Amino acid sequence: MWAAGTGVFATGSAVFFLNVTGLTPVQVGIGLSVAGALALVLAVPLGRIADRIGGRRAWVVGVLAEAGVLALYPLIHGFVAFLALVPLVALAEAVAGSGRSVYQAEVLPREDRIRSLAFVRSATNIGFFAGGGLAAIPLAVGTHWAYRSMVLGCVFGLLVNALLIARMPEPPESVRVARAESPVHRGAVWRDRPFLALVALCSLLSGYSSLTTDVIPLWLAARTDAPNVVLAVLFAVNTVMCVALQVPASRGADTPAGITRLLRRSGLVVAVACLPLSVSGATTGWVTVALLLVGAALVTVGELWQSAGYWGVTTELPPPAARGEYVGAARMSFGLQGMLGPASLTFLAMHGDGAGWAIVAALFVIGAVLTGPVMRQVVATQPGRLAQHTAETPRTSVA
């Protein structure tokens, strides 16, 4: 329900802001950038909320706060009101995201954790896809109230989501005991340099998202002869692959060796994808379309492996009592990639007559090669990281 509601608003948000609130594209961009920067700076303190009040409570609080702020969106008119509300949505999303990650790590059996998260991601993609389809109705109607209905649909989905989360079970007693017996000083994540280095590599490898949403569409439109409708085909291929293949692609992400293997594969396959994408700028007709499809499919494979490896990093490696802080640090790093990745990777790909794509590929190769040494440092500095979770093997279902 949450994914469908969010998909509705995400699909039509630009139309809503431009036609209902009276904002310009530049003002929307400024507001979203301010919100992203604020969530970036406060990621670790916001993640700490889940450590203090528990993952499930933080998840509920974040979702309810997001719904409450979004409910005010139809009343926005002008830049000042927008600038006051949009950062609150980003902060609420950060609290909810950290709470969700902490709760999932606490309540799911360790041997089923990654597989369960993969199923959740597949279902989420289905929800986003369905929401995007539903958004076509108000967008086709084209009235201000139709656009407002997209926001209200998102609010409704969030409220239902909060109700369902509140009915989920508390983590078992063994988890609470493990948290109590492994006290961690506030801000411990900042002193865990190997973990921060690993998260930084995850952030670099998550550049696949910038390739998928920004670089490839711009490359197709500006540097190839492929018709723009091919973008819809690429989006469909990505969605189908994420739904169908995320679970099998996630095997092994519950051990340091498995996490390393998945992250390394991710970087290498995205690097390989840069070759057909770069060549597509010099071909014509169906050859161009085929190269774009191959490149986009390989990037999606990298996305599947990177996502699974990232789940392993954030669920298996943090100390139980500071999961929220560690998840917050990971979110901060990914927020930084979201700010820098689109502009930097687009600039590289669009310049140099193919040499730019070689640099992009080299960045992913570097991330892949460094993953092994950095993971060895992570394990060497905290040899009990995985052992600390053996007491957290609950059989509680979240259904």
Side-chain angles (χ1 to χ4, degrees):
M1 182 63 74
W2 163 79
T6 302
V8 169
F9 182 58
T11 302
S13 60
V15 175
F16 170 81
F17 288 133
L18 297 178
N19 290 277
V20 177
T21 65
L23 299 173
T24 67
V26 172
Q27 288 174 328
V28 174
I30 291 173
L32 294 176
S33 295
V34 170
L38 192 59
L40 181 70
V41 172
L42 298 177
V44 172
L46 293 173
R48 195 176 296 132
I49 293 174
D51 293 327
R52 288 180 173 269
I53 68 175
R56 191 188 67 167
R57 291 185 180 87
W59 191 4
V60 172
V61 168
V63 170
L64 288 176
E66 184 181 355
V69 178
L70 281 175
L72 300 176
Y73 266 30
L75 306 178
I76 293 177
H77 188 75
F79 183 56
V80 174
F82 173 70
L83 198 59
L85 290 181
V86 70
L88 298 180
V89 173
L91 298 182
E93 287 177 341
V95 173
S98 296
R100 179 178 64 250
S101 296
V102 170
Y103 178 73
Q104 289 170 335
E106 290 180 338
V107 78
L108 293 170
R110 181 168 168 254
E111 64 271 20
D112 297 333
R113 231 176 249 165
I114 302 300
R115 182 176 174 82
S116 298
L117 293 178
F119 274 114
V120 169
R121 188 168 192 260
S122 295
T124 300
N125 275 290
I126 294 173
F128 281 137
F129 186 76
L134 290 173
I137 299 174
L139 289 173
V141 174
T143 65
H144 280 198
W145 278 109
Y147 298 148
R148 289 187 177 100
S149 71
M150 295 188 296
V151 182
L152 298 178
C154 184
V155 171
F156 175 75
L158 288 169
L159 292 176
V160 173
N161 187 233
L163 178 62
L164 295 175
I165 298 166
R167 294 172 62 86
M168 290 180 177
E170 286 280 4
E173 182 64 26
S174 60
V175 172
R176 293 192 286 273
V177 170
R179 285 169 55 87
E181 292 180 349
S182 59
V184 177
H185 294 294
R186 180 176 176 177
V189 67
W190 299 122
R191 294 185 287 275
D192 196 342
R193 293 179 181 177
F195 180 85
L196 293 176
L198 183 61
V199 168
L201 290 178
C202 287
S203 180
L204 173 60
L205 296 174
S206 74
Y208 72 79
S209 63
S210 295
L211 293 181
T212 299
T213 60
D214 300 293
V215 180
I216 293 177
L218 290 171
W219 175 262
L220 182 152
R223 296 299 179 88
T224 77
D225 68 342
N228 290 337
V229 69
V230 174
L231 287 173
V233 177
L234 299 183
F235 173 77
V237 168
N238 175 270
T239 301
V240 171
M241 290 181 66
C242 286
V243 170
L245 301 178
Q246 184 64 80
V247 174
S250 302
R251 294 192 185 99
D254 54 355
T255 67
I259 294 168
T260 302
R261 183 169 56 252
L262 290 168
L263 293 178
R264 184 184 294 124
R265 288 176 179 174
S266 171
L268 294 178
V269 75
V270 175
V272 171
C274 292
L275 177 60
L277 291 172
S278 65
V279 174
S280 68
T283 57
T284 60
W286 285 105
V287 174
T288 300
V289 174
L291 289 171
L292 289 169
L293 284 170
V294 170
L298 289 173
V299 171
T300 301
V301 173
E303 173 183 352
L304 298 173
W305 282 334
Q306 195 281 337
S307 298
Y310 171 73
W311 296 333
V313 169
T314 56
T315 60
E316 302 302 324
L317 302 183
R323 276 201 182 100
E325 275 195 13
Y326 276 65
V327 170
R331 291 176 65 89
M332 183 186 69
S333 182
F334 276 79
L336 187 62
Q337 191 284 139
M339 293 175 62
L340 301 178
S344 59
L345 294 179
T346 299
F347 175 82
L348 289 172
M350 292 294 180
H351 293 78
D353 296 326
W357 277 108
I359 297 174
V360 173
L363 290 174
F364 283 95
V365 170
I366 290 170
V369 170
L370 291 179
T371 299
V374 171
M375 179 63 83
R376 285 194 289 272
Q377 284 297 311
V378 170
V379 176
T381 54
Q382 295 287 342
R385 281 184 190 271
L386 295 180
Q388 70 195 351
H389 297 291
T390 55
E392 304 177 48
T393 314
R395 292 290 175 180
T396 309
S397 170
V398 296

